[in-house]
Amino acid sequence: MASVLDDPTLERHFKGHKDAVTCTDFNPNCKQLASGSADKNLMIWNLAPKGRAFRFVGHQDVITSVQFSPFGNLVATSSKDRTVRLWTPSMKGESTVFKAHTAAVRSVAFSHDGHRLVTASDDKSVKVWSVQRQCFVYSLSQHTNWVRCARFSPDGRLIASCGDDRTVRLWDTSTKHCINCFSDYGESATFVDFNPSGTCLASSGADSSLKIWDLRTNKLIQHYQVHSAGINSFSFHPSNNYLISGSTDSTVKILDLLEGRLIYTLHGHKGAVITVAFSRAGDLFASGGADCQVLMWRTNFDTKSYQDVLQQHNRRSTPDPPPHLTDIHPRGPHLHRQKHRAIQISQTVTDTQSTDPHVIELGQAAHSTKLLDGQTHSFPLQTATNSQHSNGLPPCHMASSRVEGWMGEESVDWTGGAAGSQTGVSGGGKGRGEEDEKGRGQTQPLEVVSGHPSSLDLTLQHIVQQLDILTQTVSVLEERLTLTEDKLKECLLNQSQILKDVRSSEESRRTDSEESDGSPEDST
């Protein structure tokens, strides 16, 4: 039986990360896709067939979250190195480092006007930052365990957060108070987000559940249990009608929110699917996982208006029987009969959209420095040469010998998040472009590495540490000042109440005395 909806199709795949892909986001201009990884690198992929890919190095631990600003001119990343970085996506590789958290930062997100950032951390706090002033603004601290995710509402009046304390909290940005708390999760709440219209709030859990609340009534309106393992990420379609989710069970699920049912299961990753994201237009979505690759899918099922879909559904005598429409394997045929065995998905997914890129000239005389085991090493960057790739994605080739000693090994358990640590490149200012080739069928990016001379680096690190201590002290003083203000208000209220009681008692005494003085005169 023919499908009412057009099935999603795999458009392209990107390879360049050396460890699990933990986060993805599309540029609002629909020309770039950003991804962060456990390899500590930020990658920005150009979606044009001959576009180049860029690698930005600066974080010293796993990148946990990435998001483009609403205008696409900035990229924010968070990391387990306790920092947030604000990048300018250009060849210069400039970034600004934000430090106030005292533990791993799990998520970062822009407000919809682009003026503020909200971050969630293992220090049990949610913090709000000013993008323009590039400083910490205030902190929200009522979670009792690690905070996994935080997001602004579309109108900026609310912040939603969730964490390992099994709660989803709703905060008022004007009063800085928690105005609601949903606490019916059996395990950690892993991800939270508002729908594009801002009327609903969705959250996912390590117990494989996905829940949607109506914020106008504060009631749970939908509850999905479609995955067989914990959900790591989800994303709303701009129309509010669909939602995609990625899970440790290695699948991407697509939900029809208006009908309240699962419509597709996508099999493309080997290992856990850690991140999913729709583009701003909704015509594309990306998924990334423990297999170190990013898959970009064309949505297709949103091309028809929902009224037309419902009318066609009504004309049909029977619904789609499983597994038709439910399971899509990128390299296999779309079968109408039950599959007798699991399909083994090839590590390399065929890409038919791209063409061979042009040669990228980086310059013969350019040099760069990298901090390696406490010493500064210098080596030349040479011209990249073009090579033929079977998948047609932009290849890169570095002619000079590469210093790889700073890259360490890391084990990742995506049931509970990335674990382990690496020793990475330090610094956070300007960088340089570098190209390398890791093998046939992989997209290898330009690399933008941040580096400083060792003495200057040590001085900067010392200054940053002192600023970190000062920031923490100010945060503590701010909390104590708030408590003092609350106590002072309470004392003033008590004082005013006492004064009222004293005045009323004095008036009653005067009245009693006047009555007592007047009674003998009346008797005489």
Side-chain angles (χ1 to χ4, degrees):
M1 184 179 292
S3 169
V4 170
L5 295 173
D6 293 327
D7 298 346
T9 55
L10 182 64
E11 181 99 347
R12 289 180 66 179
H13 85 294
F14 303 96
K15 281 190 174 182
H17 285 297
K18 302 170 187 176
D19 210 330
V21 178
T22 58
C23 48
T24 53
D25 190 44
F26 284 90
N27 192 319
N29 65 16
C30 298
K31 295 180 181 179
Q32 292 177 319
L33 172 64
S35 61
S37 169
D39 65 8
K40 315 177 200 174
N41 296 334
L42 165 67
M43 305 277 284
I44 296 183
W45 314 88
N46 285 298
L47 303 185
K50 294 185 179 181
R52 297 175 295 178
F54 298 90
R55 177 187 284 120
F56 295 91
V57 177
H59 280 294
Q60 299 181 19
D61 210 331
V62 176
I63 294 179
T64 56
S65 181
V66 63
Q67 192 175 84
F68 276 97
S69 64
F71 302 104
N73 59 326
L74 295 172
V75 180
T77 56
S78 62
S79 171
K80 291 178 72 175
D81 64 8
R82 305 181 182 183
T83 68
V84 174
R85 281 180 181 257
L86 205 57
W87 305 84
T88 302
S90 66
M91 284 290 293
K92 294 182 179 180
E94 296 176 339
S95 68
T96 303
V97 181
F98 293 178
K99 292 191 70 175
H101 285 291
T102 58
V105 187
R106 294 289 178 176
S107 83
V108 62
F110 282 94
S111 60
H112 283 248
D113 58 9
H115 294 163
R116 296 203 169 183
L117 286 172
V118 62
T119 55
S121 170
D122 286 359
D123 62 11
K124 306 177 187 178
S125 73
V126 175
K127 294 188 185 296
V128 176
W129 313 74
S130 171
V131 174
Q132 185 176 6
R133 292 185 290 140
Q134 298 184 352
C135 65
F136 165 74
V137 181
Y138 61 86
S139 183
L140 306 172
S141 305
Q142 285 192 23
H143 281 283
T144 58
N145 208 331
W146 294 355
V147 188
R148 292 285 180 177
C149 185
R151 291 288 187 272
F152 278 104
S153 63
D155 58 11
R157 294 189 298 113
L158 300 174
I159 290 175
S161 61
C162 67
D164 286 3
D165 58 2
R166 304 179 182 181
T167 66
V168 176
R169 292 183 178 273
L170 205 59
W171 309 83
D172 188 320
T173 56
S174 59
T175 64
K176 320 294 189 298
H177 291 160
C178 179
I179 59 175
N180 210 337
C181 179
F182 306 102
S183 57
D184 53 349
Y185 274 97
E187 295 184 40
S188 300
T190 57
F191 199 85
V192 67
D193 201 5
F194 295 86
N195 70 336
S197 64
T199 58
C200 295
L201 176 69
S203 64
S204 60
D207 58 358
S208 74
S209 66
L210 192 146
K211 300 177 180 179
I212 301 178
W213 286 273
D214 189 330
L215 296 179
R216 295 163 294 189
T217 60
N218 287 329
K219 290 184 178 180
L220 180 67
I221 56 175
Q222 289 185 344
H223 182 192
Y224 297 94
Q225 200 89 28
V226 294
H227 286 285
S228 58
I231 299 174
N232 299 311
S233 175
F234 63 82
S235 179
F236 280 99
H237 188 271
S239 67
N240 291 310
N241 296 339
Y242 304 99
L243 181 144
I244 54 175
S245 58
S247 168
T248 307
D249 65 9
S250 306
T251 66
V252 176
K253 304 276 187 180
I254 302 176
L255 302 173
D256 184 330
L257 300 181
L258 294 185
E259 291 194 358
R261 69 185 182 100
L262 172 69
I263 56 175
Y264 294 106
T265 298
L266 308 182
H267 304 266
H269 288 279
K270 277 187 173 181
V273 181
I274 305 166
T275 174
V276 292
F278 270 113
S279 64
R280 300 301 196 274
D283 57 331
L284 299 170
F285 63 93
S287 60
D291 56 4
C292 308
Q293 65 177 340
V294 179
L295 302 183
M296 187 176 76
W297 309 76
R298 186 158 294 279
T299 306
N300 294 331
F301 55 80
D302 66 340
T303 55
K304 298 180 181 179
S305 69
Y306 208 82
Q307 294 298 326
D308 294 339
V309 172
L310 291 178
Q311 290 177 6
Q312 292 186 49
H313 269 303
N314 292 333
R315 297 192 194 104
R316 305 174 72 178
S317 58
T318 58
D320 292 324
H324 188 75
L325 276 183
T326 303
D327 292 271
I328 295 178
H329 300 258
R331 285 185 63 85
H334 190 63
L335 302 179
H336 290 253
R337 61 182 182 278
Q338 184 68 37
K339 296 175 177 61
H340 298 289
R341 60 183 179 85
I343 294 179
Q344 298 297 321
I345 306 300
S346 172
Q347 186 81 0
T348 303
V349 184
T350 302
D351 176 14
T352 60
Q353 301 294 321
S354 305
T355 58
D356 290 332
H358 59 279
V359 177
I360 303 170
E361 300 291 340
L362 297 180
Q364 295 283 348
H367 283 72
S368 177
T369 57
K370 295 175 75 172
L371 188 66
L372 174 61
D373 299 329
Q375 298 179 353
T376 303
H377 298 260
S378 178
F379 54 91
L381 300 180
Q382 300 188 7
T383 304
T385 59
N386 196 9
S387 61
Q388 299 295 326
H389 288 253
S390 60
N391 66 346
L393 294 178
C396 293
H397 187 89
M398 190 182 72
S400 61
S401 60
R402 179 86 184 278
V403 181
E404 291 288 352
W406 64 274
M407 289 299 294
E409 296 297 328
E410 181 179 47
S411 60
V412 180
D413 174 13
W414 291 113
T415 303
S421 63
Q422 297 177 330
T423 302
V425 177
S426 62
K430 296 186 178 181
R432 52 94 172 157
E434 176 187 338
E435 292 185 294
D436 59 356
E437 181 178 23
K438 286 302 176 186
R440 185 178 177 86
Q442 295 186 0
T443 299
Q444 294 302 325
L446 295 176
E447 183 170 359
V448 182
V449 183
S450 300
H452 297 283
S454 57
S455 59
L456 179 59
D457 185 68
L458 292 175
T459 304
L460 289 174
Q461 286 184 1
H462 179 70
I463 293 173
V464 168
Q465 289 175 0
Q466 296 300 318
L467 289 174
D468 191 14
I469 294 171
L470 287 173
T471 304
Q472 294 175 32
T473 305
V474 170
S475 179
V476 172
L477 290 174
E478 183 185 23
E479 293 178 359
R480 290 182 178 177
L481 183 61
T482 303
L483 292 173
T484 305
E485 289 177 350
D486 293 339
K487 291 290 184 182
L488 187 60
K489 288 179 182 178
E490 186 178 351
C491 291
L492 290 173
L493 289 173
N494 292 334
Q495 186 178 4
S496 62
Q497 185 63 40
I498 291 171
L499 288 174
K500 288 181 181 179
D501 294 341
V502 169
R503 288 174 182 173
S504 61
S505 63
E506 288 179 352
E507 289 178 357
S508 62
R509 287 176 184 175
R510 287 176 184 174
T511 304
D512 293 340
S513 63
E514 289 176 356
E515 290 179 353
S516 60
D517 292 341
S519 57
E521 293 177 359
D522 294 338
S523 60
T524 56

